[in-house]
Amino acid sequence: MEPAVEGDAEMRGGPDPEMAATMGFSGFGKKARTFDLEAMFEQTRRTAVERSRKVLEAREREEEERAEKDLRSSCTSSSPSASDARGTGTASTQRGKVWSESENSSDEELTGPSKQSPTSVHDPAEDTDDEDDDFIGPPLPPGFKDSDDDYDDDAEEEDNNPVKKIPDSHEITLQHGTKAVSALGLDPSGARLITGGYDYDVKFWDFAGMDASLQAFRSLQPCECHQIRSLQYSSTGDVILVVSGNSQAKVLDRDGFPVMECIKGDQYIVDMTNTKGHTAMLNSGCWHPKIKEEFLTCSNDGTVRTWDINNEKKHKTIFKPRSSQGKRAIPTSCTYSRDGKLIAAGCQDGSIQIWDRNMTVHTKFHCRQAHAPGTDTSCLTFSYDGIVLASRGGDNTLKLWDIRQLKEPLNSAERLPSFFPMTDCCFSPDDKILVTGTSVKRGGGSGKLCFFYRETLQKLYEIEVTDASVVRSLWHPKLNQIMVGTGNGLAKVYYDPVKSQRGAKLCVVKTKRKERPAETLTQDYIITPHALPMFREPRQRSTRKQLEKDRLDPVKSHKPEPPVAGPGRGGRVGTHGGTLSSYIVKNIALDKTDDSNPREAILRHAKEAEENPYWISPAYAKTQPKAVFAEVEPEDDETDKPEWKKRKI
């Protein structure tokens, strides 16, 4: 039955070299090949018969050799004739048996190797050799090697050459935006990637949910108009820490909804210990590796603070870096050790200061001249063994430190340009390689991802990523994939189809989803009541008549108003002058006073009103008494009156 099994393996096709060359996935999506099963079974049967004959011939030769050895030994112990007769009989007997077995196998068309003859006797050592030499089934294909041997050879080769461990054979590019990708975060399981940039956006990428189009499933601006400085998933992967250019860090859940926001401190208090939060721009932040509710932030206010996700009203503890003169030092990067017992901060004065998490006053380790003063130490990261600390300085260097002897660096690499305050570095999963990126000016070449050997900081390998700076780099230990954020808005993922797990391998094999006709947006027709035929106004056949009517309409034709004649009316000033003041000056001299007696002007209508009453008299005709007016006496001559009786005028 083994040849049949091998035939099934041949029917399945075996490993495709093109498929292996294109990460093992290019075969998906193609039509299945058609197989001629009868021809395959016939080929398998012939191969099995041929293999059986070869095995029988080898056994026959071995038996002949043993017979000759027995013959020689019998010759030394007994007479030559008897030994010859016995040897000849034994040899002929065994040859006859082998020949009969071969004839039976050829007549019955053996589909496997024949059983070993019970008359043949072997030593145990020879049995082991035969078992190693004999194979069951058809011959192996040319160039085939045992998988165990290949694995051992590859492991030895990787140990001798660390470059073989770098998963850079394939890459995918995620388009975040047009500005620099200043933050990268990958959850512990490696299922989701988040990117943040100078364009204030945070985008969520799901490797299992993406297809070959590589589109983000969510984009948001959690901090409005502030650049994103750092993004990191917690140790459990259920919440995300967002550190931006403002003074308040935020915590989001996996889907981007806000969970908490740190409080802002009082900027008018001198002693930062008495404030509840940061009062200046944040620089960096990270989660505690063991406690999922605690995270760390550092700010330009000269403090490093720890927070509890359940208490957003006040920080948990505060650390204040100091310079050698005792003055305030601004921390530009901060991190926890792998066990969470130490807190390290890199400061603008070039120092690296490390505290015990439970002792906030004095530093446990410190180095005053780790990097050049006045430069931003953009990243601090601990190795997986917790002994070595790597620092990426703004003085274009990468240094390794032993935290037990922090006076001098173990090794240093120079000429690594860094133009961004968040250029970082990271260790490989096996803790033997250190990775960082380099910055370039526009048109100054390609940004590179450099790999250094941890023991000596010698450059092992470099990848030219793109024609912009490499800002962020992240080597995930579970996926064994490298994420890179660049200065032109790209997020690249490097992986190897053999060495890497999941991650980008899940989305590249999915074809782009075709748009269904029902999902395509069509132009909707807007139907109004007057657009219906029964309500539609009849269209003018001739536009000339309509234009003539519009010309007669002063509103439609926009006919200008005629000039004002006379003094002016309707709030418009006449032609006397262009301004109101000129009009008033010209009309000051006009005398429009009425010199007539107002009483006479009214009484001249009295006769007509009395003869034809219309307004008041009819209403009071029956009730109004007759008017009695005083009679005017003629004026007396006052010349005869005494002076005291005369009217004084």
Side-chain angles (χ1 to χ4, degrees):
M1 294 300 291
E2 277 85 6
V5 174
E6 189 68 19
D8 293 340
E10 290 186 1
M11 181 178 67
R12 287 194 295 267
D16 189 358
E18 295 182 358
M19 184 181 299
T22 56
M23 59 183 194
F25 295 112
S26 63
F28 289 96
K30 295 184 180 180
K31 293 183 179 180
R33 294 187 301 173
T34 57
F35 298 95
D36 189 355
L37 298 180
E38 294 181 357
M40 294 176 67
F41 283 124
E42 180 65 22
Q43 179 66 26
T44 304
R45 186 186 63 78
R46 291 178 181 177
T47 304
V49 171
E50 185 177 353
R51 181 65 179 173
S52 302
R53 288 177 180 175
K54 291 182 179 180
V55 172
L56 289 174
E57 291 176 0
R59 288 179 179 173
E60 184 178 357
R61 288 194 297 270
E62 291 175 0
E63 291 176 356
E64 288 179 356
E65 291 176 358
R66 294 193 192 93
E68 291 178 0
K69 291 180 181 179
D70 296 340
L71 180 61
R72 292 173 184 173
S73 60
S74 60
C75 288
T76 56
S77 59
S78 60
S79 61
S81 60
S83 61
D84 291 342
R86 188 166 55 251
T88 305
T90 305
S92 60
T93 303
Q94 292 184 359
R95 287 195 191 95
K97 290 182 179 180
V98 173
W99 178 254
S100 63
E101 288 177 1
S102 63
E103 285 181 349
N104 293 334
S105 64
S106 60
D107 294 338
E108 296 175 359
E109 294 181 351
L110 294 177
T111 58
S114 62
K115 295 183 179 180
Q116 186 176 355
S117 175
T119 58
S120 61
V121 180
H122 304 285
D123 296 335
E126 293 176 352
D127 290 338
T128 57
D129 296 338
D130 293 341
E131 289 177 0
D132 293 339
D133 295 337
D134 296 343
F135 294 98
I136 299 175
L140 297 174
F144 178 80
K145 294 182 180 180
D146 192 359
S147 60
D148 296 336
D149 298 338
D150 292 345
Y151 180 78
D152 296 338
D153 296 341
D154 294 342
E156 292 178 359
E157 186 177 0
E158 287 184 359
D159 291 339
N160 297 330
N161 188 7
V163 179
K164 297 291 184 180
K165 299 180 181 180
I166 300 175
D168 66 328
S169 60
H170 297 75
E171 67 175 80
I172 62 172
T173 302
L174 308 177
Q175 184 68 45
H176 172 84
T178 57
K179 296 186 179 181
V181 177
S182 56
L184 284 177
L186 199 60
D187 67 343
S189 64
R192 284 189 178 181
L193 173 70
I194 50 175
T195 58
Y198 277 7
D199 55 358
Y200 321 134
D201 289 337
V202 173
K203 291 191 176 182
F204 293 73
W205 314 79
D206 190 353
F207 290 119
M210 282 194 302
D211 54 11
S213 61
L214 304 177
Q215 297 294 324
F217 74 90
R218 180 165 292 122
S219 177
L220 51 92
Q221 292 184 355
C223 301
E224 297 177 350
C225 58
H226 294 284
Q227 297 175 350
I228 306 301
R229 312 276 296 185
S230 176
L231 293 171
Q232 188 180 17
Y233 277 92
S234 64
S235 58
T236 56
D238 54 348
V239 287
I240 305 166
L241 174 62
V242 180
V243 177
S244 63
N246 62 356
S247 60
Q248 296 172 273
K250 285 189 176 182
V251 177
L252 309 178
D253 62 3
R254 285 181 62 85
D255 296 323
F257 296 101
V259 176
M260 66 92 67
E261 182 178 12
C262 298
I263 193 172
K264 184 177 181 180
D266 190 348
Q267 57 186 351
Y268 297 103
I269 296 178
V270 177
D271 189 1
M272 290 292 104
T273 308
N274 297 326
T275 60
K276 297 180 180 180
H278 289 293
T279 60
M281 181 185 73
L282 298 175
N283 288 323
S284 180
C286 63
W287 286 98
H288 193 284
K290 303 295 183 183
I291 305 173
K292 65 178 183 178
E293 294 88 4
E294 183 179 326
F295 61 92
L296 179 72
T297 57
C298 65
S299 170
N300 278 353
D301 61 3
T303 61
V304 178
R305 301 174 191 257
T306 61
W307 302 81
D308 191 342
I309 194 174
N310 299 318
N311 183 16
E312 60 183 12
K313 299 299 182 183
K314 192 178 187 301
H315 63 262
K316 192 173 181 181
T317 55
I318 182 172
F319 303 87
K320 294 189 291 186
R322 296 298 180 190
S323 64
S324 57
Q325 293 83 16
K327 297 180 180 180
R328 181 174 65 178
I330 297 177
T332 57
S333 60
C334 61
T335 186
Y336 281 102
S337 61
R338 295 291 176 177
D339 56 3
K341 295 181 180 180
L342 300 177
I343 293 176
C347 303
Q348 277 187 348
D349 62 348
S351 64
I352 295 177
Q353 304 183 27
I354 303 176
W355 296 270
D356 190 327
R357 176 175 167 270
N358 299 321
M359 299 178 63
T360 62
V361 179
H362 300 290
T363 58
K364 189 172 184 179
F365 310 103
H366 67 271
C367 180
R368 294 296 178 188
Q369 297 178 352
H371 291 279
T375 60
D376 292 344
T377 302
S378 57
C379 178
L380 293 177
T381 181
F382 282 88
S383 61
Y384 287 95
D385 56 15
I387 299 174
V388 176
L389 176 67
S391 62
R392 183 71 162 93
D395 54 356
N396 302 336
T397 60
L398 175 66
K399 296 183 179 181
L400 282 179
W401 308 83
D402 189 339
I403 61 174
R404 298 166 296 185
Q405 297 176 355
L406 209 59
K407 300 299 180 184
E408 294 293 334
L410 297 176
N411 292 292
S412 177
E414 299 179 351
R415 297 180 182 179
L416 301 173
S418 175
F419 301 154
F420 290 85
M422 64 281 298
T423 303
D424 59 357
C425 57
C426 61
F427 286 90
S428 62
D430 61 357
D431 226 8
K432 294 182 179 179
I433 301 176
L434 190 59
V435 186
T436 188
T438 61
S439 301
V440 293
K441 295 182 179 180
R442 182 173 296 179
S446 299
K448 298 179 181 179
L449 189 67
C450 301
F451 298 82
F452 298 90
Y453 191 52
R454 171 184 163 179
E455 299 297 331
T456 59
L457 271 190
Q458 293 180 353
K459 184 182 289 187
L460 298 174
Y461 189 63
E462 66 179 19
I463 302 173
E464 291 189 358
V465 180
T466 182
D467 56 352
S469 301
V470 176
V471 184
R472 288 286 187 176
S473 57
L474 176 64
W475 195 335
H476 197 270
K478 287 188 177 180
L479 301 184
N480 195 22
Q481 299 178 12
I482 303 174
M483 286 70 182
V484 179
T486 64
N488 56 356
L490 302 180
K492 290 196 172 186
V493 182
Y494 292 91
Y495 67 97
D496 188 281
V498 178
K499 303 181 183 70
S500 302
Q501 305 294 330
R502 302 189 303 276
K505 293 170 60 177
L506 299 177
C507 57
V508 294
V509 298
K510 297 181 181 179
T511 58
K512 294 183 180 180
R513 187 173 63 91
K514 296 181 179 180
E515 294 184 357
R516 298 177 182 177
E519 295 180 0
T520 58
L521 296 176
T522 58
Q523 185 177 2
D524 296 332
Y525 292 97
I526 301 174
I527 300 176
T528 59
H530 292 283
L532 298 176
M534 60 187 302
F535 296 106
R536 190 177 302 159
E537 296 180 359
R539 183 181 178 184
Q540 295 288 340
R541 295 184 180 180
S542 175
T543 59
R544 180 180 178 184
K545 293 182 179 180
Q546 185 65 29
L547 292 175
E548 291 177 354
K549 289 182 180 180
D550 293 342
R551 174 59 64 187
L552 298 177
D553 189 352
V555 178
K556 292 184 178 180
S557 62
H558 299 284
K559 180 181 178 181
E561 295 183 359
V564 179
R569 66 180 183 274
R572 300 180 64 194
V573 180
T575 57
H576 302 83
T579 61
L580 179 61
S581 60
S582 63
Y583 172 78
I584 294 173
V585 169
K586 290 182 179 181
N587 287 275
I588 285 177
L590 296 179
D591 188 7
K592 295 183 179 181
T593 58
D594 190 4
D595 295 337
S596 62
N597 191 353
R599 186 173 183 274
E600 291 180 358
I602 294 174
L603 290 178
R604 75 172 173 228
H605 302 285
K607 185 178 180 181
E608 183 181 358
E610 185 177 358
E611 292 177 357
N612 299 316
Y614 183 77
W615 297 106
I616 299 174
S617 298
Y620 297 97
K622 297 180 180 181
T623 60
Q624 187 70 15
K626 187 177 180 180
V628 177
F629 297 101
E631 295 180 359
V632 180
E633 296 179 355
E635 293 183 359
D636 298 335
D637 190 7
E638 294 181 355
T639 57
D640 298 339
K641 292 182 179 181
E643 292 294 332
W644 60 275
K645 284 188 177 183
K646 290 182 180 180
R647 187 181 303 174
K648 294 179 180 179
I649 300 174

